[in-house]
Amino acid sequence: MGKLDGKTAIVTGSSRGVGADVAKFLAAEGAAVVVNYRQKAPRANKVVAQITEAGGRAVAVGADLTTQEGVQALVSAAMENYGSLDLVVLNASGGMESGMAENYALKLNRDAQVNLLNAALPLMKAGSRVVFVTSHQAHFIETVPTMPEYEPVARSKRAGEDALRALIPNLAEEDISLVVVSGDMIEGTVTATLLDRANPGAIEARRAEAGRLYSVAEFAAEIATMATADVETGHTEYVGGADYFK
């Protein structure tokens, strides 16, 4: 018996990378998973295929979370396919992509997170959980400087975390908990690759500083664990980067 048998999870931004691995870990624990993508349908379908081949349940849903239609489509998919919604993993983030509007990072990393949670809330039963995925670079932005290239993203993600934390009292009324998972730079992610491109040697320097960097799969495993971990609402789980706490 998996810890998530009979439960339904939405994982945003789960067509690749950390989100895709989180979806697979949750499915392996018995959850029916709504795999979300913005544009890359073949990637999302591949994740779904891997889950179903392993005996799990999953469906791919294309949704731009910066639009109300996208948010609604994602939440509706959970109910239409599986009849419940017990876990929301807010993993999607961005802002370093080229060609996006100036306020895109804030729209995705703050507004979309809050809009999705507000849409999901009426459907979530008592005992449900929300997991917000962030980075140390964002979580500690007020006290630890980050690379200039990443600062707008870091500030928008911290704004998203603060906005979600402000909803904890509303969540508590429904007996729903919020857990934040903050990770050091994760090797092999899009963000790390973009940062290294903008700032050659950034990954190597961070590895030297931190001693080691977590892989995508290792970080995803930590996030999946927090879906059922016995922790208080508002808990922050730190993954890697011990030097941040000195």
Side-chain angles (χ1 to χ4, degrees):
M1 292 287 284
K3 290 179 184 172
L4 292 167
D5 280 347
K7 308 279 191 199
T8 303
I10 289 174
V11 183
T12 66
S14 47
S15 65
R16 64 177 176 189
V18 172
D21 277 3
V22 170
K24 290 176 204 171
F25 282 127
L26 297 177
E29 284 291 348
V33 185
V34 178
V35 173
N36 160 241
Y37 66 94
R38 189 167 59 94
Q39 288 170 318
K40 307 278 193 310
R43 278 184 182 161
N45 290 331
K46 187 177 170 188
V47 175
V48 168
Q50 287 168 334
I51 288 172
T52 50
E53 279 159 20
R57 294 178 300 156
V59 61
V61 178
D64 179 350
L65 302 182
T66 62
T67 68
Q68 206 48 50
E69 301 78 30
V71 165
Q72 215 46 60
L74 197 53
V75 170
S76 298
M79 300 307 289
E80 284 163 16
N81 286 280
Y82 304 118
S84 72
L85 180 52
D86 312 275
L87 172 64
V88 177
V89 180
L90 298 168
N91 167 72
S93 69
M96 289 189 71
E97 305 87 343
S98 51
M100 292 298 190
E102 196 183 337
N103 66 343
Y104 178 72
L106 213 48
K107 270 179 75 174
L108 177 59
N109 297 333
R110 182 192 64 190
D111 303 348
Q113 313 294 324
V114 171
N115 290 344
L116 180 60
L117 180 50
N118 282 333
L121 200 50
L123 307 173
M124 297 176 84
K125 299 189 289 283
S128 295
R129 173 158 290 175
V130 180
V131 179
F132 177 66
V133 181
T134 189
S135 63
H136 291 354
Q137 291 91 339
H139 182 75
F140 292 103
I141 190 62
E142 301 303 333
T143 50
V144 183
T146 187
M147 291 170 236
E149 298 84 1
Y150 190 63
E151 188 160 336
V153 177
R155 292 202 175 279
S156 65
K157 279 191 73 65
R158 182 67 226 200
E161 181 182 338
D162 292 342
L164 290 169
R165 287 186 182 279
L167 296 174
I168 286 176
N170 308 26
L171 295 171
E173 283 175 22
E174 309 297 331
D175 190 24
I176 296 169
S177 53
L178 171 75
V179 174
V180 173
V181 183
S182 178
D184 194 7
M185 196 185 279
I186 306 298
E187 209 140 14
T189 58
V190 175
T191 301
T193 306
L194 289 172
L195 279 173
D196 207 55
R197 200 175 293 161
N199 199 330
I203 293 175
E204 200 41 66
R206 182 69 201 126
R207 191 186 297 113
E209 225 170 4
R212 69 164 288 215
L213 297 181
Y214 276 67
S215 69
V216 166
E218 286 172 327
F219 186 45
E222 298 285 339
I223 295 164
T225 299
M226 283 299 115
T228 54
D230 184 11
V231 292
E232 293 290 310
T233 188
H235 171 79
T236 307
E237 184 72 11
Y238 296 108
V239 181
D243 55 321
Y244 271 87
F245 312 104
K246 287 176 182 167

